[in-house]
Amino acid sequence: MLVLGIETTCDVTAAAVVERFDDGRGRILSNIVLSQVSEHAAYGGVVPEIAARAHVEALDYIIAQAMAEAKLRFDSIDGVAAAAGPGLIGGLIVGLTTAKAIALVKEKPLLAVNHLEAHALTARLTDGMQFPYCLFLASGGHTQILAVRGVGDYARLGTTVDDAIGEAFDKTAKLLGLAYPGGPLVEQEALQGDPQRFALPRPMVGKPNADFSLSGLKTALRLEAEKIAPISDQDVRDLCASFQQAIVDVIADRLRNGMRIFREHYGSPTALVAAGGVAANETIRRVLNRLAFEVGTVLVVPPAQLCTDNGAMIAWAGAERLALGLTDTLDTAPQARWPLANVMSRVPTSSDAVDADSPMSGIA
Ligand code: KG4
Ligand code: ZN
């Protein structure tokens, strides 16, 4: 089964073709990703209007490239998938409308994919993971611990009550005068910094649940920086190292609880799977590895280009849904907010109550 996938939820315009075999294995035929980072860099974050326009300008070409690289015509594919949420509504409209147009003209099934579900299922494409596994998803827009029990069967074990981890890295970078996106730069600075120099808080540590809260950490870091202003290059390194250490300690504590909750409800996970841009951080990976070992499982991290936003993960989630007959109608509406718990086996349509104007905190 061949599926075209389209991703436009945030600042990446992407399209890919993926094949899913009857035995559940998958293969990527093409995966074209265009990052808009340079267009947003000057603003220190993603500007929704600029993102939507950039998607409009690039998407047709990116899809054509994905089809050409896969050496396929639209007639030979079995379905068209697009991320229908959560994300910035302008981009979602561009991607989903384009998918609908192809589905309508070529008489192919439409798959309106939840972007988080796509992150959650990627490890089945890359590593043939069997259910159930524990997913740690940490990107610029999301921080979640999930039990992935089956296609459309997800339980959220923990989430952030304010900032996402990647967002906290980006805000820290901005505060310290580093470029956007700041995660990789904070990690680099931290390499030569002293993680003990600043006593930053470890929010939520010790609480029995598996939730995160990171905005207090960001504020504490700002106060420390203000106390010693003007800050030197070494101060920046020490602040980055202290911040990263606080995050790592928080992740270890929260995920330990998340894995415990997983075991209590669903038994042993087949793996701890990490996804999202933050999973690229070496120090964070080390702690994930240790945690997995501690609870007697293994850490699985898909290749970096499939951990961050891409079209292959959307195509794959579409293929997994198509294999179960979970197709969507052409009146399916995009949703800026769309929690995974609402995914299940059907996607809401425009006749459901959808608040498309809600704040766009749900970007992925
Ligand atoms: O998944 P992703 O590529 O895009 C979305 O957010 O959708 O994640 C990007 C986020 C950014 O916040 C970025 O700063 C963070 O992941 N990130 C990192 C690292 N690389 C990327 N955070 C910490 N350490 C890194 N090495
Ligand atoms: Zn994402």
Side-chain angles (χ1 to χ4, degrees):
M1 163 186 300
L2 294 161
V3 175
L4 167 68
I6 297 170
E7 160 62 32
T8 54
T9 60
C10 190
D11 62 347
V12 156
T13 313
V17 180
V18 158
E19 179 164 22
R20 187 183 185 280
F21 302 97
D22 289 343
D23 64 3
R25 284 179 310 113
R27 179 168 78 102
I28 298 174
L29 280 76
S30 64
N31 191 22
I32 312 293
V33 176
L34 178 69
S35 165
Q36 302 174 0
V37 160
S38 59
E39 297 182 50
H40 300 286
Y43 306 93
V46 177
V47 183
E49 267 305 307
I50 294 178
R53 280 167 202 269
H55 288 307
V56 171
E57 279 165 22
L59 187 57
D60 287 356
Y61 174 69
I62 296 291
I63 292 172
Q65 228 181 321
M67 296 301 292
E69 208 167 281
K71 299 193 175 58
L72 289 172
R73 297 161 58 87
F74 288 128
D75 296 310
S76 6
I77 58 173
D78 300 296
V80 188
L88 299 170
I89 196 69
L92 294 175
I93 291 170
V94 174
L96 188 57
T97 307
T98 305
K100 285 178 183 176
I102 298 168
L104 181 67
V105 172
K106 294 295 174 183
E107 297 180 355
K108 302 290 179 187
L110 172 74
L111 294 312
V113 168
N114 180 296
H115 179 92
L116 300 176
E117 175 172 44
H119 275 303
L121 296 175
T122 301
R124 286 169 55 76
L125 167 65
T126 58
D127 295 83
M129 289 306 308
Q130 298 296 310
F131 300 120
Y133 50 89
C134 184
L135 180 80
F136 175 55
L137 172 61
S139 69
H142 295 283
T143 297
Q144 303 202 346
I145 302 172
L146 295 165
V148 182
R149 296 180 294 177
V151 176
D153 188 0
Y154 314 100
R156 199 171 72 183
L157 310 178
T159 187
T160 179
V161 298
D162 41 55
D163 293 351
I165 297 179
E167 189 181 357
F169 268 94
D170 294 339
K171 287 179 175 171
T172 293
K174 196 171 180 181
L175 181 86
L176 299 176
L178 303 172
Y180 172 85
L185 299 174
V186 171
E187 179 178 22
Q188 204 181 319
E189 295 290 326
L191 284 175
Q192 295 165 55
D194 174 5
Q196 313 295 341
R197 177 167 162 204
F198 298 97
L200 297 173
R202 269 64 172 161
M204 305 298 256
V205 166
K207 292 240 162 76
N209 65 19
D211 288 337
F212 293 78
S213 167
L214 298 165
S215 66
L217 176 55
K218 178 189 65 195
T219 308
L221 182 108
R222 181 169 52 75
L223 294 176
E224 291 292 341
E226 282 171 5
K227 261 192 242 165
I228 56 164
I231 52 174
S232 68
D233 287 352
Q234 189 56 44
D235 292 335
V236 169
R237 294 184 197 117
D238 294 344
L239 283 162
C240 285
S242 301
F243 166 80
Q244 186 172 273
Q245 189 56 48
I247 293 272
V248 164
D249 291 349
V250 168
I251 291 175
D253 182 78
R254 307 289 73 208
L255 210 45
R256 195 171 281 124
N257 281 359
M259 305 276 275
R260 178 179 48 73
I261 298 168
F262 188 109
R263 273 177 180 278
E264 283 167 8
H265 290 83
Y266 314 112
S268 297
T270 55
L272 169 63
V273 176
V278 176
N281 185 295
E282 284 298 330
T283 315
I284 293 176
R285 269 185 198 229
R286 267 201 301 277
V287 80
L288 298 180
N289 227 327
R290 206 177 61 220
L291 276 171
F293 181 76
E294 240 179 69
V295 301
T297 188
V298 289
L299 175 68
V300 171
V301 190
Q305 71 273 20
L306 295 172
C307 270
T308 56
D309 292 351
N310 65 86
M313 71 180 194
I314 306 297
W316 175 252
E320 294 250 65
R321 293 182 70 79
L322 184 57
L324 296 172
L326 298 171
T327 60
D328 298 287
T329 53
L330 290 178
D331 64 349
T332 300
Q335 300 178 78
R337 286 172 180 276
W338 185 6
L340 257 186
N342 297 355
V343 169
M344 299 307 179
S345 57
R346 78 177 259 284
V347 176
T349 64
S350 49
S351 53
D352 291 292
V354 168
D355 180 14
D357 296 324
S358 62
M360 290 156 188
S361 60
I363 63 168

